[in-house]
Amino acid sequence: MLLSDQKCTILVGEDEPEVLSYLETALKCMGYAVESARDGDEVLACLRSGGSEITAVLLDIVMLNRDGLDTLREIRSLDRQLPVIMLSGASVYSERGHRDEARGDGFSREARGA
């Protein structure tokens, strides 16, 4: 559900194709426009090239080339106000630890199939 009549664009940084596809589908069904990136470097390139259109970021913590925490630190140097929600399917990450460490705006564990 959108919070306003304005079309919001969510940038999803996720390296697993199945998870990325699910997130894109779910967000589009909720009325959001979606941009996708397969690693932290692509997330940063997207933000640098047209980041003013991005209204929030969903960012996987574990990715190739540049992980989510390094990417979050760089995002914060570009735009401290951009909402970023960290995602992880790994059970070793804690919500509190990552929010405190890199100042993400939220944390969610990725659902994994049984």
Side-chain angles (χ1 to χ4, degrees), residues 3-20:
L3 299 178
S4 71
D5 294 333
Q6 167 181 336
K7 186 82 165 186
C8 296
T9 302
I10 309 294
L11 173 58
V12 179
E14 171 60 62
D15 61 340
E16 294 187 41
E18 298 83 16
V19 175
L20 179 59

Side-chain angles (χ1 to χ4, degrees), residues 86-106:
M86 304 300 290
L87 303 170
S88 180
S91 61
V92 297
Y93 296 103
S94 72
E95 175 181 353
R96 180 186 162 121
H98 286 291
R99 192 168 52 216
D100 291 347
E101 179 180 344
R103 287 179 253 139
D105 297 299

Side-chain angles (χ1 to χ4, degrees), residues 57-59 61 68-76 79-87 94-108:
V57 178
L58 293 179
L59 187 60
I61 291 174
L69 293 176
D70 286 342
T71 303
L72 177 59
R73 287 183 193 97
E74 187 66 23
I75 290 170
R76 289 295 181 240
D79 183 349
R80 297 196 58 80
Q81 303 302 314
L82 182 64
V84 179
I85 297 173
M86 304 300 290
L87 303 170
S94 72
E95 175 181 353
R96 180 186 162 121
H98 286 291
R99 192 168 52 216
D100 291 347
E101 179 180 344
R103 287 179 253 139
D105 297 299
F107 177 87
S108 178

Side-chain angles (χ1 to χ4, degrees), residues 17-31:
E18 298 83 16
V19 175
L20 179 59
S21 177
Y22 170 78
L23 291 170
E24 287 175 333
T25 300
L27 290 167
K28 287 176 182 177
C29 285
M30 293 171 44

